[in-house]
């Protein structure tokens, strides 16, 4: 396997640091064990230190990896070395693919929306803003601590900066959501809102229910909700197709795929993994991970080493990793993965 097969890397820089408590989040949901309890049990992960951050990003650039993602579990803008992260991307010519919860937190007073936008947009390939409702009640009930009006205002300000850079460098902006029973009926309105605000696409994922308390949010465990999802998918594609006939910049839908009603347990029968051989994950301690599955379940895939002990390129070509690439279709975790592509 060639090193250049890999084009993107995610660094879980600060997975245990966030200012929201989204109900579906593996670590920060109100249904998750409290940070205090996890700290007592030694399960609270530290931030990635600055030395490791720089080592991994420079190694990734040497492997000809093109794109870097900061933490997708915690809020990356709260990572104390996030400016260093951005500086390294500028220096090495790497694209930044960012997922933020949309609050644009300000560790320092000058870190407002415009500050972050002007730092991120010039190197950004895509900025995903988490969003989970078209009404304030739905949005705030899913993303505890968020307010829809603030999300809209922040998005407008960020997109205004994006537009000011558009002729020099274009950074796409994505509205990202989790498909749930509680926001299902608002998804068409969210598509309309995304178009109106100047987003480039709306992307979502079916729920990976980490907790019993949210199992009923799953669209795939009730045929009625699965059928309704398929109806909404058709409507959204028709809506976007109509918009794009006159739009100066096409709008896109991502992961808006109909469910197979005769096999709801398998989101993509015979679907392929979009990550193996293409993307790398590194956790705060330097552990080499193979995908974005929940951490405890992901460990069932095997131990693939650490950048604290081996180089990134060595880990990416290890026998264990190549073996998983050849056999993942038979692994129980991979069979239930909601990220596989049809």
């Amino acid at each position: 396997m060639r090193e250049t097969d890999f084009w993107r890397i995610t660094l879980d820089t600060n997975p245990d640091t966030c200012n929201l408590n989204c109900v579906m989040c593996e670590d920060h949901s109100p249904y998750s064990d409290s940070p205090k309890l996890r700290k007592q049990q030694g399960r609270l992960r530290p931030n990635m230190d600055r030395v490791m951050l720089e080592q991994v990003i420079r190694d990734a650039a040497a492997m000809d990896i093109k794109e870097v993602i900061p933490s997708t579990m915690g809020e990356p803008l709260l990572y104390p070395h996030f400016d260093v992260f951005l500086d390294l991307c500028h220096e090495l010519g790497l694209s930044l693919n960012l997922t933020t919860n949309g609050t644009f937190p300000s560790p320092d007073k000058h870190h407002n929306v415009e500050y972050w936008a002007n730092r991120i947009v010039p190197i950004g390939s895509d900025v995903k803003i988490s969003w989970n409702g078209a009404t304030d009640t739905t949005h705030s009930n899913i993303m505890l601590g968020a307010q829809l009006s603030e999300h809209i205002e922040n998005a407008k300000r960020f997109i205004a900066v994006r537009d000011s850079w558009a002729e020099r460098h274009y950074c796409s902006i994505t509205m990202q959501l989790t498909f749930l029973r509680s926001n299902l009926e608002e998804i068409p309105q969210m598509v309309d809102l995304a178009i109106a605000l100047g987003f480039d696409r709306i992307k979502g994922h079916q729920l990976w229910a980490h907790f019993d308390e949210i199992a009923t949010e799953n669209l795939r465990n009730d045929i009625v909700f699965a059928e309704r999802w398929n109806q909404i998918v058709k409507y959204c594609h028709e809506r976007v197709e109509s918009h794009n006939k006159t739009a100066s910049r096409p709008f896109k839908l991502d992961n808006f795929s109909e469910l197979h009603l005769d096999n709801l347990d398998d989101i993509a029968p015979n679907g392929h993994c979009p990550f193996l051989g293409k993307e790398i994950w590194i956790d705060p301690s330097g552990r080499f991970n193979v995908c974005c599955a929940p951490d405890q379940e992901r460990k069932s895939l095997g131990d693939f080493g650490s950048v604290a002990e081996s180089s990134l390129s060595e880990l990416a070509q290890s026998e264990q990793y190549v073996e998983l690439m050849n056999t993942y279709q038979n692994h129980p975790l991979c069979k239930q993965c909601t990220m596989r592509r049809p």
Side-chain angles (χ1 to χ4, degrees):
M1 183 173 59
R2 304 187 315 274
E3 291 179 354
T4 51
D5 288 340
F6 291 96
W7 69 281
R8 184 157 73 184
I9 185 169
T10 295
L11 280 67
D12 286 327
T13 49
N14 56 304
D16 281 313
T17 307
C18 194
N19 58 331
L20 295 183
N21 298 102
C22 301
V23 296
M24 61 287 190
C25 180
E26 175 186 355
D27 292 307
H28 303 284
S29 170
Y31 306 117
S32 175
D33 292 335
S34 69
K36 182 178 180 181
L37 177 60
R38 285 186 281 132
K39 185 175 181 179
Q40 291 173 347
Q41 296 175 344
R43 293 190 290 122
L44 197 63
R45 292 161 289 185
N47 292 335
M48 180 177 289
D49 68 52
R50 180 172 176 168
V51 173
M52 180 171 289
L53 170 72
E54 183 163 355
Q55 172 198 333
V56 174
I57 291 181
R58 291 192 182 280
D59 284 354
M63 288 176 62
D64 204 29
I65 284 174
K66 304 298 184 184
E67 189 172 272
V68 187
I69 301 178
S71 192
T72 55
M73 296 303 295
E75 169 52 47
L77 301 188
L78 291 174
Y79 179 50
H81 305 304
F82 192 64
D83 273 309
V84 176
F85 201 124
L86 297 176
D87 290 340
L88 287 165
C89 289
H90 276 279
E91 176 192 342
L92 299 169
L94 296 169
S95 295
L96 181 78
N97 188 313
L98 174 71
T99 298
T100 177
N101 64 26
T103 63
F104 294 94
S106 305
D108 295 315
K109 291 182 179 179
H110 68 288
H111 286 178
N112 59 12
V113 176
E114 286 73 20
Y115 172 84
W116 287 127
N118 279 298
R119 291 282 279 136
I120 292 165
V121 166
I123 55 171
S125 56
D126 185 55
V127 172
K128 300 173 186 67
I129 299 178
S130 298
W131 210 293
N132 278 283
T135 64
D136 189 61
T137 298
T138 298
H139 184 70
S140 59
N141 283 345
I142 296 171
M143 300 179 67
L144 303 183
Q147 293 184 8
L148 182 61
S149 59
E150 290 182 0
H151 255 60
I152 291 173
E153 179 63 20
N154 289 344
K156 287 180 177 178
R157 291 165 62 185
F158 195 95
I159 290 170
V161 175
R162 187 280 307 275
D163 290 346
S164 73
W165 273 90
E167 293 186 2
R168 292 166 286 176
H169 173 80
Y170 193 79
C171 174
S172 65
I173 311 293
T174 297
M175 181 181 286
Q176 180 159 289
L177 69 149
T178 301
F179 304 132
L180 306 168
R181 292 190 190 182
S182 56
N183 65 13
L184 178 61
E185 296 300 329
E186 294 185 16
I187 290 175
Q189 295 170 263
M190 293 174 67
V191 172
D192 287 340
L193 180 60
I195 291 172
L197 289 173
F199 283 81
D200 296 275
R201 66 171 179 160
I202 185 166
K203 178 182 181 181
H205 299 288
Q206 296 292 340
L207 175 69
W208 196 314
H210 303 294
F211 316 104
D212 292 340
E213 290 87 346
I214 60 171
T216 55
E217 286 283 1
N218 193 342
L219 300 177
R220 296 183 295 126
N221 58 14
D222 189 311
I223 190 68
V224 173
F225 286 96
E227 288 178 337
R228 181 58 179 149
W229 161 253
N230 286 354
Q231 292 171 357
I232 286 175
V233 166
K234 291 178 182 177
Y235 172 83
C236 289
H237 279 290
E238 291 171 358
R239 169 72 180 93
V240 169
E241 182 179 355
S242 175
H243 166 78
N244 286 346
K245 288 179 180 178
T246 58
S248 58
R249 187 171 61 240
F251 187 84
K252 299 177 182 178
L253 296 174
D254 201 349
N255 292 339
F256 278 65
S257 301
E258 293 185 37
L259 294 170
H260 298 270
L261 300 181
D262 59 345
N263 186 14
L264 291 176
D265 289 334
D266 194 339
I267 195 169
N270 301 313
H272 69 275
C273 174
F275 306 126
L276 289 173
K278 301 178 180 68
E279 301 189 33
I280 297 170
W281 275 258
I282 302 295
D283 89 345
S285 70
R287 189 179 76 205
F288 185 101
N289 287 320
V290 299
C291 67
C292 58
D295 193 53
Q296 292 304 313
E297 297 177 44
R298 180 169 55 191
K299 290 177 180 177
S300 69
L301 296 173
D303 182 351
F304 301 91
S306 169
V307 295
E309 300 165 354
S310 303
S311 72
L312 190 63
S313 60
E314 288 173 337
L315 297 173
Q317 299 179 83
S318 70
E319 291 183 8
Q320 298 96 315
Y321 189 83
V322 173
E323 176 67 15
L324 180 64
M325 286 186 62
N326 293 330
T327 61
Y328 78 90
Q329 290 275 16
N330 299 319
H331 198 285
L333 179 62
C334 300
K335 287 181 178 180
Q336 64 171 314
C337 178
T338 62
M339 307 296 280
R340 283 181 301 128
R341 298 300 180 98

